Amino acid sequence: MTDMIRNPILPGFNPDPSICRVGDDYYIATSTFEWYPGVQIHHSRDLANWRLVTRPLTTESQLDMRGNPDSCGIWAPCLSYADGLFWLIYTDMKRYEGNFKDGHNYLVTAPSIEGPWSAPIYLNSSGFDPSLFHDEDGRKWLLNLQWDYRQREGGDRFGGILLQQYDAERCCLVGPVHNIFAGTEMKLTEGPHLYRHDGWYHLLVAEGGTGYDHAVTMARSREITGPYDVHPDNPVLTSRGDPENPLQRAGHADLVETPAGETWMVHLCGRPLPGTRRSPRGRETAIQKVEWGADGWLRLAQGGNTPALEVSMPGIEQRLPAEEEAHDFHLGTLPQVFQWLRTPQPERLFSLRDRPGYLRLFGRESVGSWFEQALVARRQDSLHCAAETMLEFEPEGLQQFAGLIAYYNRFKFHYLAVARNDSGDKVLSLISCCDEWPTGNLTTVDTGVVLRPGLPVRLGMDIREGELQFRYAHGGVDWQPVGPVLDASLLSDEGSGRAHGYFTGNFLGMAAHDISGRGTSADFAEFRYRRMVN
């Protein structure tokens, strides 16, 4: 496609975008929640074509999420550049259910986007969605929402946007804390970013929650501490009045200015399955052209306040992702597309050296453990896709199993596993948790497939929108379907709707579990991912 950008620009689970420009280079940081390493940073030269360049939080001192519940971990990072350094602010959320939210805010810096990234500086724990504003006078200011644990009228515990100065020499916050903005009638005010334009401080926030009422609102003041006057046409961006728009849940945004002086907004969005409110690809990142009006307020360049699926950008050709990705493990490093869960000690989960050319997973705790499970996976970024792997695994008993998994969280997954049955046969078993919150009850299916000892087995899955079909090939027999067609739509932020909201997206990958504690290993020779339709 020429002269147009088609949204989203970061498909698949890539929420809460923060964007900055350094010369001709653009960078977007997005949330990774419980997936390790922490924070995804993509790079572009044209705002249309993006490449993952790093995940900077790689050490135990920077990030240790063992014990963090589902959809906790890295919330809403903020990436900026000033004084010859990249500045990355992030929240490590330890708890988010109930009245309390235990989230701790940190700062790391680096001279280059590839690092080395510094040891973390602790900032505060007063609320999440922190961002750092570098003012024209050289002062730096931290913003974050204030969390109010009390049961307030309407259930809104978002207690306003806090502002406090950061002393870069002393590496700490200093001076008084100002509550500069209580939000609008949309409530749930979060995701603050500050900008200086034409003598005004412009405050951009997300409101309305992260679901289908999500929105971007703005306010401005002559003084950084306020008072802030709200935008006359709020919300600036939302999908809540446009249910047919393919980009739903639009909100949580950030701004960037090009060298030519144009302004662009990146924002969160979701693409639910047709006819549903289920989004297996999670919350993604889109982009819109915006303009400053004669009255000094920012608005969408195309008019209105709903996100456009396609945005004009003359002279740009947006490249489509490869139809197929084939990953082997001969290089001895984990391909960048993969992540694992929570732990800063991946050597306890997998090895690429124990058996050269293979990814060896060491069976650890149960499926969905919040501490240590051997699960290595990549994002689902297409509604029509397939994943395949080849596995060598000899389980010792019913407590060891390994295979191919579609995983959202501990309550939502489908797992085609090599296991042992009560007769001692090596078999294929289907293990699912179909959004059984809060019990986590499993559905297990005996497929009737008996595998020959000592032989590898190929495992595959095909996803067609809301349906998932597993398949296998073994002992010279070509691909065969196995088990029933499963509900893939449950592997989404919304799921059945019985539980509270989640914030990640579906992952497809390789897993090994050994709840006996013996660490039985499983060897994976390759992993293939194919996009049929984006």
Side-chain angles (χ1 to χ4, degrees):
M1 183 181 300
T2 303
D3 298 334
M4 299 292 289
I5 300 178
R6 184 175 178 85
N7 281 312
I9 53 173
L10 301 182
F13 162 50
N14 276 289
D16 311 323
S18 171
I19 189 168
C20 75
R21 178 178 64 85
V22 183
D24 294 327
D25 296 292
Y26 299 91
Y27 300 95
I28 291 179
T30 53
S31 300
T32 43
F33 291 84
E34 65 262 37
W35 290 90
Y36 214 96
V39 181
Q40 292 219 122
I41 298 180
H42 286 78
H43 168 260
S44 176
R45 283 290 184 93
D46 57 15
L47 293 174
N49 298 290
W50 295 85
R51 179 177 64 89
L52 179 64
V53 290
T54 189
R55 297 189 188 100
L57 305 181
T58 60
T59 67
E60 190 168 342
S61 68
Q62 293 170 330
L63 184 63
D64 185 350
M65 299 184 290
R66 286 171 290 190
N68 286 20
D70 294 327
S71 286
C72 286
I74 295 296
W75 283 25
C78 175
L79 182 67
S80 58
Y81 185 83
D83 309 324
L85 291 173
F86 287 94
W87 305 70
L88 179 65
I89 306 281
Y90 61 95
T91 301
D92 180 7
M93 184 61 67
K94 297 298 184 184
R95 168 189 174 178
Y96 88 103
E97 293 179 308
N99 285 49
F100 290 108
K101 281 181 168 51
D102 295 319
H104 311 304
N105 297 321
Y106 300 93
L107 164 67
V108 292
T109 60
S112 165
I113 201 69
E114 290 85 9
W117 289 87
S118 69
I121 296 169
Y122 171 75
L123 299 172
N124 65 23
S125 301
S126 56
F128 49 92
D129 288 4
S131 70
L132 191 64
F133 172 62
H134 307 270
D135 207 346
E136 294 172 352
D137 60 8
R139 290 188 294 177
K140 303 181 188 302
W141 298 87
L142 181 76
L143 299 97
N144 60 269
L145 74 87
Q146 174 177 252
W147 185 252
D148 186 343
Y149 64 89
R150 297 169 297 178
Q151 185 66 46
R152 306 200 308 176
E153 184 178 355
D156 182 0
R157 302 188 183 98
F158 294 65
I161 301 302
L162 302 184
L163 176 80
Q164 188 177 13
Q165 189 175 348
Y166 176 74
D167 188 321
E169 292 186 359
R170 296 165 57 187
C171 298
C172 64
L173 296 170
V174 297
V177 179
H178 306 272
N179 195 326
I180 63 171
F181 188 60
T184 75
E185 67 280 357
M186 293 189 67
K187 299 186 177 182
L188 307 175
T189 307
E190 57 186 336
H193 292 290
L194 263 182
Y195 314 91
R196 194 79 185 267
H197 179 78
D198 198 23
W200 292 90
Y201 289 97
H202 289 263
L203 176 65
L204 180 151
V205 296
E207 293 194 299
T210 60
Y212 288 82
D213 290 329
H214 206 27
V216 176
T217 59
M218 295 188 72
R220 71 183 183 185
S221 173
R222 290 292 188 184
E223 302 294 331
I224 194 169
T225 54
Y228 281 81
D229 298 322
V230 300
H231 196 299
D233 300 324
N234 273 336
V236 176
L237 177 76
T238 188
S239 305
R240 65 178 185 163
D242 189 7
E244 301 305 314
N245 193 315
L247 304 180
Q248 289 295 310
R249 302 190 291 171
H252 200 113
D254 196 8
L255 305 176
V256 69
E257 187 174 289
T258 70
E262 296 179 339
T263 305
W264 292 80
M265 174 188 288
V266 293
H267 65 91
L268 173 159
C269 68
R271 293 179 292 168
L273 290 165
T276 76
R277 285 195 167 189
R278 296 181 178 181
S279 309
R281 292 169 292 190
R283 300 175 302 156
E284 307 169 290
T285 289
I287 193 168
Q288 308 293 330
K289 180 77 178 297
V290 291
E291 295 175 341
W292 296 99
D295 59 359
W297 290 106
L298 192 76
R299 296 176 177 87
L300 293 180
Q302 72 263 24
N305 67 354
T306 57
L309 183 64
E310 296 180 348
V311 182
S312 175
M313 181 177 275
I316 290 298
E317 181 174 355
Q318 188 178 26
R319 297 181 295 273
L320 296 176
E323 181 178 321
E324 184 168 2
E325 298 173 8
H327 303 286
D328 61 37
F329 306 109
H330 289 86
L331 295 180
T333 57
L334 190 67
Q336 191 179 38
V337 69
F338 293 108
Q339 288 183 272
W340 60 94
L341 289 163
R342 293 183 175 85
T343 180
Q345 298 179 352
E347 67 277 5
R348 288 187 48 80
L349 306 183
F350 61 83
S351 171
L352 291 150
R353 296 185 178 89
D354 282 12
R355 186 181 178 188
Y358 288 79
L359 173 66
R360 172 165 289 180
L361 298 185
F362 307 112
R364 296 301 182 203
E365 294 178 340
S366 59
V367 193
S369 166
W370 289 348
F371 292 87
E372 193 175 70
Q373 62 167 315
L375 193 161
V376 173
R378 59 108 61 230
R379 287 158 175 74
Q380 179 188 346
D381 59 11
S382 174
L383 289 183
H384 294 246
C385 60
E388 299 171 5
T389 190
M390 179 181 287
L391 168 64
E392 295 183 27
F393 179 56
E394 299 297 327
E396 300 172 3
L398 63 89
Q399 292 183 312
Q400 292 89 32
F401 36 95
L404 185 65
I405 192 166
Y407 182 90
Y408 185 97
N409 65 19
R410 70 185 306 180
F411 301 112
K412 309 179 189 186
F413 61 85
H414 296 305
Y415 189 1
L416 178 61
V418 175
R420 292 279 179 193
N421 63 16
D422 290 336
S423 301
D425 297 319
K426 188 168 77 167
V427 297
L428 285 180
S429 179
L430 272 176
I431 308 169
S432 294
C433 190
C434 299
D435 204 5
E436 293 294 332
W437 181 86
T439 64
N441 288 337
L442 299 179
T443 299
T444 58
V445 175
D446 182 358
T447 66
V449 176
V450 177
L451 303 173
R452 293 168 59 184
L455 290 184
V457 59
R458 298 185 65 86
L459 305 176
M461 71 172 86
D462 298 298
I463 296 177
R464 302 288 192 279
E465 295 188 352
E467 296 184 341
L468 186 155
Q469 176 68 67
F470 281 115
R471 52 189 163 87
Y472 80 102
H474 177 66
V477 178
D478 204 356
W479 288 108
Q480 301 290 322
V482 58
V485 174
L486 301 169
D487 189 348
S489 72
L490 290 174
L491 311 180
S492 64
D493 293 358
E494 306 91 340
S496 65
R498 293 195 301 267
H500 55 71
Y502 291 108
F503 308 129
T504 56
N506 192 33
F507 279 68
L508 312 178
M510 301 156 285
H513 297 85
D514 186 347
I515 58 175
S516 74
R518 285 176 281 185
T520 305
S521 63
D523 293 339
F524 295 84
E526 62 180 19
F527 186 89
R528 293 177 178 270
Y529 177 74
R530 186 167 63 255
R531 303 172 179 89
M532 272 81 84
V533 177
N534 195 26

